[in-house]
Amino acid sequence: MKAFVCTEFGPVDNCAVEEIELRPPDDDQVLIEVHSASLNFPDALMVEGRYQFKPPLPFSPGMDLAGIVREVGTNITHVAPGDKVIAFSGHGAFAEMCLAPRDKIVPMPAGMTFDAAAAFGITYSTAIHAFQECGRLQPGETVLVLGAAGGVGIAAIEVAKAMGARVIAAASTDEKLALCREKGADLTINYNSEDLRKRTLELTDGRGADVIFDPVGGEYSMTAFRATAWGGRLLVVGFAAGDIPRIPLNYALLSERSIVGVFWGAWAARDVEGQRRNLATMARWFTEGKIAPVIDSTIDLAQIPEAMKRLMDRKVKGKVVVRVRKA
Ligand SMILES: NC(=O)c1ccc[n+]([C@@H]2O[C@H](COP(=O)([O-])OP(=O)(O)OC[C@H]3O[C@@H](n4cnc5c(N)ncnc54)[C@H](OP(=O)(O)O)[C@@H]3O)[C@@H](O)[C@H]2O)c1
């Protein structure tokens, strides 16, 4: 089968599309014919050897996919050959076939295309878990989303709106912010040209935001944390800007604010039922038209290096989908 293969950690240009051997599933695995997969920020880090998890070489990156079950291991009962599924494979999704572990496979919601399903899994699961289990977001609260036009950012806007919050989207260009408004953001801040803290306070009548959704890190985290209301929560989702911020704890003490870590993948492995519940909620929101992933572009396996560079250069809005085979 064809796969996009990384043979050594380093620049993505060292990876190539190659023919590789297909392995049968073990007892707890499912073999999936991949139709669409999507790019996530950690894919680029994994290829460079900068991600927290380093797969044994050679490997195919790609952790978010939609396709059709072709073979199941002896312990698998919740899906069967022929089922359309979404899978979170850890790696291996940028290939014609992918092996995924039992607990990381769910039926594809009715009415979804393979492209939308591949663009939906990780980002929307992260957003709902962040707001529900970590941030305990309440209807009527104000959420500030950083990096709001990125993959998890767009998902955060839609999920927060679906949960009844008021959303302020913050991003680096007016074009990105226009997309955020289309996806439901009530208000926007361009953090390249406006003072993030001052504008957040102005837009909340001096109170500050109740919940900050932060996949960016760097200098933005502390600025946003200081624009949090009494009892506010900073959801630490990621560090796309590269730097891991250090926040003086007096900012937490002064307004009884909390800093809450979000690690969706680890949580979903520990609370399989909770993740199933969240997916059911998201499938309902999708049917009701409340959430729908934004697809920036659709590419083939050979175009992954170019797309990964665009992602790292902040040029992607929403998700890049890799169409591995035609539907
Ligand atoms: N904790 C979890 O469970 C979890 C789950 C999924 C993803 N994540 C993490 O969330 C982060 C975002 O993932 P994503 O898939 O949404 O990525 P993405 O689509 O690339 O979005 C990241 C956004 O960050 C902003 N950004 C600011 N400085 C940047 C820089 N130097 N380089 C790149 N982007 C920069 C960009 O928006 P502007 O240009 O508007 O600033 C960009 O749109 C990643 O760190 C990822 O690992 C965490």
Side-chain angles (χ1 to χ4, degrees), residues 247-265:
I247 298 180
L249 290 181
N250 58 319
Y251 293 133
L253 182 151
L254 287 173
S255 292
E256 294 198 352
R257 297 161 171 146
S258 315
I259 300 173
V260 190
V262 176
F263 191 173
W264 165 73

Side-chain angles (χ1 to χ4, degrees), residues 70-126:
R70 287 300 171 215
E71 224 179 304
V72 297
T74 49
N75 294 337
I76 307 287
T77 50
H78 70 302
V79 291
D83 287 356
K84 290 183 177 178
V85 291
I86 291 179
F88 312 112
S89 53
H91 58 90
F94 298 156
E96 288 179 323
M97 305 293 279
C98 177
L99 287 169
R102 172 176 52 185
D103 291 337
K104 300 290 169 73
I105 301 151
V106 291
M108 211 165 101
M112 250 191 205
T113 61
F114 286 118
D115 286 356
F120 159 90
I122 290 181
T123 50
Y124 284 82
S125 296
T126 301

